[in-house]
């Protein structure tokens, strides 16, 4: 299963950006999708999660500002980022975990290529 992330860019503090991540493959079922971010010199941190039932979880640092959503028909997850802060500057990665079918069902854990979000005045 391949993931293609897009939507990064430059924003001023207080601005908004929306990231997208589309999953593609032959036959698969996604259990959960996540957004992570990695700032220079830092570890990759979990930002938001959305499960197959639509339940969501957020890192404390983004609660109330970021919203994760998914379009199951398009196998796409979104991250709406509002009230951006300088500290949100990072490369954002999407991740999906689930199962794919190839004669039988097998687990997968795939990563997108990363998209850069820069918040600067």
């Amino acid at each position: 299963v391949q993931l293609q992330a897009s939507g990064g860019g430059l924003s001023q503090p207080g601005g908004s950006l929306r990231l997208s991540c589309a999953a593609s493959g032959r036959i698969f079922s996604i259990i959960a999708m996540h957004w992570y971010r990695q700032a220079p010199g830092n570890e990759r941190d979990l930002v938001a999660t959305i499960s197959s039932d639509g339940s969501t979880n957020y890192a404390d640092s983004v609660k109330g500002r970021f919203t994760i959503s998914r379009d199951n028909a398009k196998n796409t997850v979104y991250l709406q980022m509002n009230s951006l802060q300088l500290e949100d500057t990072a490369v954002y990665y999407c991740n999906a975990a689930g199962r794919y079918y190839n004669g039988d069902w097998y687990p997968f854990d795939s990563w997108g290529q990363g998209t850069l979000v820069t918040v600067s005045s």
Side-chain angles (χ1 to χ4, degrees):
V1 178
Q2 295 78 43
L3 302 182
Q4 180 69 43
S6 60
L10 176 64
S11 173
Q12 292 185 338
S16 298
L17 288 172
R18 190 175 84 151
L19 307 182
S20 299
C21 178
S24 62
R26 292 187 63 187
I27 302 172
F28 58 94
S29 174
I30 295 175
I31 297 173
M33 299 186 79
H34 317 272
W35 285 100
Y36 287 77
R37 68 184 181 186
Q38 187 168 18
N42 289 359
E43 296 183 351
R44 190 173 298 186
D45 295 323
L46 180 62
V47 175
T49 295
I50 186 164
S51 301
S52 56
D53 63 359
S55 59
T56 58
N57 282 288
Y58 299 92
D60 288 342
S61 59
V62 306
K63 281 181 181 177
R65 301 188 299 119
F66 290 11
T67 302
I68 188 170
S69 61
R70 64 192 286 177
D71 184 333
N72 290 330
K74 296 181 179 180
N75 291 312
T76 300
V77 64
Y78 305 96
L79 186 67
Q80 178 66 43
M81 305 183 295
N82 298 329
S83 302
L84 283 165
Q85 302 171 355
L86 298 176
E87 304 77 53
D88 296 320
T89 296
V91 177
Y92 284 72
Y93 298 90
C94 58
N95 169 265
R99 304 179 303 163
Y100 72 96
Y101 187 79
N102 186 18
D104 200 346
W105 289 97
Y106 299 92
F108 75 85
D109 189 319
S110 298
W111 290 86
Q113 81 282 15
T115 184
L116 177 62
V117 171
T118 303
V119 183
S120 175
S121 56

